[in-house]
Amino acid sequence: GEGCDSKLSVKAQPGGTVHINGLRFGATPIERTICKRGRYLVRVIHDEAIPWQQVVTFSGQAKLAVRADLIPRRNRPADAMVIHSVPDNAVVFVNGVEIGLAPVMFRTSQFPARQKQQKGQKGKAGRLRVGLWTPNHKGRSLSIRTARDAWIHLAKLSGGK
């Protein structure tokens, strides 16, 4: 079987709670042993900051350190929205316009939400059409509410419960 010989350490400024593949592991700084090879989604959450995430891959014995520099919510414009992707760095489109690589923050006022359903048009009123694409994953397009950030998964993660 596989040995438990890989280590993941997570630090964050100003600090936060670490989640790996959706499971809470505790406060930063933290070091955990990884027993299974594969992809893991590391998230750091702090009540006063925009959540941070990164996908890490373990393919054998390794020591991997990640650092999350969290952005305080108070520095965020009121109409800002953040699109995150798994894996990171997916190309993000809003209403058909390329806006950058995920995670990306943009102002929703630049992309007015649909006021009503138009005949032959995809998407619901009060929502934006968001698309993501990477060279190694099938693209995804979905309609999202403008009131909250979005975490969009393009890849399967390892581990599980």
Side-chain angles (χ1 to χ4, degrees):
E2 294 183 42
C4 293
D5 51 6
S6 294
K7 299 262 187 223
L8 172 65
S9 66
V10 181
K11 294 180 181 178
Q13 184 62 33
T17 303
V18 177
H19 296 254
I20 301 173
N21 286 358
L23 300 175
R24 186 177 187 274
F25 278 84
T28 60
I30 195 168
E31 183 172 279
R32 287 290 179 254
T33 301
I34 303 294
C35 294
K36 187 176 177 186
R37 293 175 186 217
R39 298 168 59 87
Y40 293 84
L41 175 63
V42 178
R43 289 184 72 193
V44 178
I45 299 171
H46 186 285
D47 288 341
E48 296 177 12
I50 297 169
W52 175 94
Q53 75 172 14
Q54 181 176 332
V55 173
V56 297
T57 302
F58 286 97
S59 57
Q61 183 176 359
K63 287 188 178 181
L64 186 59
V66 294
R67 179 182 170 90
D69 290 315
L70 302 176
I71 300 169
R73 289 187 190 275
R74 69 178 177 272
N75 294 347
R76 178 180 174 154
D79 69 337
M81 182 173 191
V82 180
I83 302 293
H84 302 270
S85 69
V86 178
D88 287 334
N89 298 319
V91 179
V92 178
F93 299 86
V94 176
N95 291 351
V97 177
E98 183 178 338
I99 63 166
L101 300 176
V104 63
M105 183 166 59
F106 67 98
R107 299 186 79 148
T108 58
S109 59
Q110 295 175 315
F111 301 93
R114 286 182 172 65
Q115 298 305 310
K116 62 180 184 174
Q117 180 71 35
Q118 305 275 328
K119 186 174 182 180
Q121 189 180 45
K122 289 185 176 183
K124 298 178 183 174
R127 293 177 172 247
L128 295 173
R129 192 84 194 156
V130 175
L132 283 90
W133 176 87
T134 70
N136 299 319
H137 299 89
K138 183 179 175 185
R140 230 176 137 191
S141 178
L142 59 157
S143 176
I144 59 174
R145 290 192 314 218
T146 59
R148 48 172 60 158
D149 293 347
W151 297 81
I152 302 170
H153 293 253
L154 300 174
K156 288 188 172 186
L157 299 171
S158 303
K161 288 190 172 187

